[in-house]
Amino acid sequence: LESSLLTQPWASVCFGESAFLAKARFGDTGYILLISDLSSVWYESADTEAVGQRSKELNKRLMIHVSSFLHHLCNVMSPLLAGQSDATTSFSCHRTAGGLSLHVKSTLSGLPFYWDFHCCPAPVEMVSRHLVRPLIRMSLALQYQVQELTSLLLQKDAEIEDYRESGATLSRDRLRTEPFQEEMFQQNFMAEVRSGAS
């Protein structure tokens, strides 16, 4: 499940006033959930035995197979991870000394359905694999893209200047642009980033 979790995108989720990033993968034999507030990363991995035991403790009136619990959990979590609200499901979380607990309240077969995800701190290798390395790869890809676009803009400016020197004029003055200044662009961009972060 963890290897297939790598292909899942991170989703922005809110529990009360707290914002998190989360991703999850559910299968017939268990699930894995990863949650981060960008300061800490927590996870829970549960197999069918753990799911069966916890479902008996939390949902004594529901007598269904573990695979049905897992399927319902997937259906409950999918709207949350897709950024959609579901009026029939509520989520809450609280931090504990050793991790993070996520509480789910829903219905299943007309009966109340409860679930608790007990997340513990994720190991360094897991954090690196799911968060650090993908962010660094994306950052490098975006840097390369900016370099390519900057080069293209400078070429376009040179092309436009050549047209002007040849006597070409704009038919609509509102289309006139100033030559691209890379250093000024970088300074303005970083100022916007700093103001957005503060």
Side-chain angles (χ1 to χ4, degrees):
L1 278 174
E2 193 196 337
S3 59
S4 63
L5 186 66
L6 282 168
T7 63
Q8 297 296 110
W10 285 94
S12 179
V13 298
C14 286
F15 306 120
E17 298 297 314
S18 303
F20 296 90
L21 293 174
K23 58 157 68 178
R25 188 73 175 172
F26 295 87
D28 295 332
T29 58
Y31 66 79
I32 183 167
L33 171 71
L34 207 52
I35 297 181
S36 174
D37 61 358
L38 296 183
S39 293
S40 302
V41 182
W42 304 271
Y43 87 107
E44 184 185 38
S45 180
D47 57 17
T48 49
E49 185 178 347
V51 171
Q53 183 61 39
R54 195 176 305 169
S55 64
K56 288 176 185 175
E57 296 169 2
L58 296 172
N59 302 282
K60 293 181 171 64
R61 296 169 63 192
L62 286 170
M63 306 299 290
I64 60 174
H65 195 268
V66 172
S67 61
S68 297
F69 266 102
L70 286 165
H71 183 69
H72 184 65
L73 271 176
C74 181
N75 289 339
V76 162
M77 293 295 289
S78 293
L80 176 75
L81 298 173
Q84 302 163 356
S85 59
D86 184 355
T88 62
T89 305
S90 64
F91 297 90
S92 63
C93 77
H94 72 270
R95 299 166 200 259
T96 62
L100 182 84
S101 290
L102 173 60
H103 307 287
V104 183
K105 183 179 179 182
S106 181
T107 58
L108 176 58
S109 302
L111 294 171
F113 172 85
Y114 303 98
W115 193 258
D116 292 339
F117 292 97
H118 300 304
C119 301
C120 61
V124 172
E125 174 56 27
M126 181 182 277
V127 175
S128 176
R129 194 162 52 247
H130 289 274
L131 198 61
V132 179
R133 287 182 213 159
L135 284 173
I136 290 174
R137 281 196 295 266
M138 181 57 69
S139 177
L140 291 172
L142 289 172
Q143 286 177 33
Y144 176 75
Q145 189 179 54
V146 167
Q147 289 170 359
E148 289 292 299
L149 290 171
T150 298
S151 176
L152 185 60
L153 280 170
L154 294 173
Q155 289 176 39
K156 289 290 184 185
D157 280 347
E159 183 181 345
I160 291 168
E161 186 57 32
D162 186 62
Y163 286 141
R164 284 178 182 158
E165 290 175 356
S166 300
T169 57
L170 282 170
S171 60
R172 293 186 292 271
D173 200 57
R174 63 183 173 80
L175 296 176
R176 186 180 303 279
T177 58
E178 294 297 320
F180 178 68
Q181 296 179 339
E182 182 179 358
E183 189 174 338
M184 184 65 70
F185 172 80
Q186 293 285 2
Q187 289 174 357
N188 291 339
F189 179 77
M190 291 309 296
E192 288 179 15
V193 169
R194 289 191 196 99
S195 64
S198 63

